[in-house]
Amino acid sequence: MSFTLSVLDLSPVSGDGTQAQAVRDTIEVAKAAERLGYHRFWVAEHHNIGTLSSPAPEILIAALTQATNTIRLGSGGVMLVNHSPLKVAEVFMELEALAPGRIDLGVGRALGTDGRTGGALRSAGSEAFPQYFALLNAWLLDASGREPITEAHPAHDIHANPAGPSHPDLFMLTSSPESADFAGRAGVGMVFAEFIARTDGTPSVEAYRAAFEPSVFREAPWAGIATIALAAETNAEAQRLAAPMRASNLATLFNQPRRFRSIPEAQAFLAEHAGDPRLAGVMARGIVGDAAAVRAGLAAKAASTGADELFVMAVGPTLETRIRSLELIKPT
């Protein structure tokens, strides 16, 4: 592959497993990703979603610094408006101290949940993102000694500890050309969340590259795409394993989020709604097939979008199928 391959894991709850087990499964997936040669392993922030188990990516990353040795670790992402920018800077500088040179901080401007749950989190709302991002940027650079906060800055004499010789690499998760443009003007890396946007990332990558301005974080533009990928020994087996993911996505479109505990249950749900016009879009999401087909699909996506790196979400219904998928499409 001429592009770099990484992993994004949302800590999905498998079958009859528990949410607590899903957190532990993510650690096993990360260890497998490192063994297989993937470049980065990122975890996400979601709240009040029964099928996902990662509300606190910073805690998972801390655990992963002790379970891995070489793979880069990061957030895909921290939903910045849910948190104090100073606290996020402090947390990720501390992670950088635990694993120097291995920490990525990806931030998003959404809530990672519904509006009511966002209220319970006391989220500032997406309109606060530019201000929060500017403060986060200043504290990270100040803590690393790259750009000390001046007396004229509103955060003067407030510092993010622990200070150190390096800082986490900074990225922004995007789902539209508008947010990609913001990432470009900020001079940070951009990752297009294709699995959320449900649309092609090419316009966003183009907007990002056109808007890019060099910064302390990055001298040249860097764009990633995060997409769903599931490989199995045969195409038929991959399609079978994808049924719970597809059924869950379709149920979400009905505003009826649902966890499918078995493949037959998911297949029955998909068959029941075979005539729904939304099903075609659900079936087209992600790259599903045997190893050759998925690898070819990833290569085509990198070429068509101009992405520097692809993040794959292994969405098999069990821990074993997720790891096997990563094995089949591992970097070469």
Side-chain angles (χ1 to χ4, degrees):
M1 297 184 186
S2 60
F3 54 92
T4 304
L5 199 56
S6 292
V7 177
L8 172 63
D9 193 89
L10 305 188
S11 299
V13 182
S14 299
D16 288 322
T18 64
Q19 290 186 324
Q21 183 60 51
V23 176
R24 295 189 290 271
D25 285 351
T26 288
I27 295 176
E28 296 306 312
V29 177
K31 291 193 288 188
E34 179 174 71
R35 170 175 57 84
L36 294 167
Y38 287 85
H39 183 50
R40 308 176 200 267
F41 188 87
W42 283 10
V43 293
E45 176 184 342
H46 292 95
H47 302 276
N48 196 31
I49 299 177
T51 56
L52 302 176
S53 299
S54 180
E58 65 277 13
I59 294 178
L60 260 178
I61 296 169
L64 292 172
T65 66
Q66 306 306 297
T68 62
N69 297 294
T70 58
I71 195 168
R72 290 194 66 93
L73 304 168
S75 56
V78 166
M79 300 296 104
L80 185 57
V81 295
N82 293 343
H83 310 281
S84 153
L86 175 59
K87 182 63 174 177
V88 173
E90 290 178 327
V91 164
F92 276 79
M93 286 302 296
E94 189 145 14
L95 291 171
E96 180 75 12
L98 289 172
R102 287 210 290 145
I103 301 300
D104 298 327
L105 171 52
V107 297
R109 63 193 307 161
L111 305 183
T113 188
D114 61 89
R116 184 164 173 262
T117 305
L121 289 166
R122 298 187 177 180
S123 173
S126 59
E127 63 277 3
F129 181 82
Q131 178 188 6
Y132 275 36
F133 186 85
L135 286 168
L136 172 68
N137 195 321
W139 273 312
L140 287 177
L141 296 179
D142 174 71
S144 66
R146 299 292 185 91
E147 289 186 1
I149 293 175
T150 65
E151 291 186 12
H153 196 281
H156 179 60
D157 279 344
I158 302 173
H159 304 287
N161 298 321
S166 62
H167 58 70
D169 200 358
L170 188 57
F171 301 80
M172 182 175 166
L173 274 69
T174 70
S175 58
S176 69
E178 291 74 24
S179 54
D181 177 89
F182 183 100
R185 287 184 284 109
V188 299
M190 180 215 84
V191 177
F192 179 77
E194 183 182 83
F195 64 98
I196 294 174
R198 303 175 189 174
T199 187
D200 179 62
T202 303
S204 290
V205 173
E206 291 175 347
Y208 165 75
R209 293 193 187 281
F212 184 83
E213 298 177 10
S215 73
V216 174
F217 286 99
R218 198 168 294 278
E219 294 181 355
W222 179 99
I225 301 283
T227 191
I228 295 168
L230 175 59
E233 309 299 334
T234 66
N235 178 64
E237 177 64 2
Q239 301 302 326
R240 188 182 77 87
L241 294 174
M245 177 265 295
R246 289 167 168 166
S248 179
N249 288 340
L250 185 61
T252 299
L253 293 180
F254 299 155
N255 291 319
Q256 299 174 352
R258 178 176 167 185
R259 176 179 166 193
F260 292 84
R261 297 177 181 272
S262 71
I263 292 174
E265 178 190 6
Q267 290 173 323
F269 181 82
L270 292 171
E272 178 186 351
H273 298 282
D276 193 290
R278 290 168 288 188
L279 181 59
V282 167
M283 298 296 287
R285 288 185 65 190
I287 303 170
V288 177
D290 60 25
V294 173
R295 288 170 66 88
L298 291 171
K301 184 171 295 295
S304 66
T305 61
D308 299 291
E309 190 163 339
L310 295 183
F311 289 77
V312 295
M313 286 175 51
V315 292
T318 65
L319 172 61
E320 292 74 21
T321 55
R322 286 158 65 197
I323 291 177
R324 182 55 180 156
S325 179
L326 294 179
E327 290 174 342
L328 290 170
I329 59 174
K330 67 180 181 180
T332 56

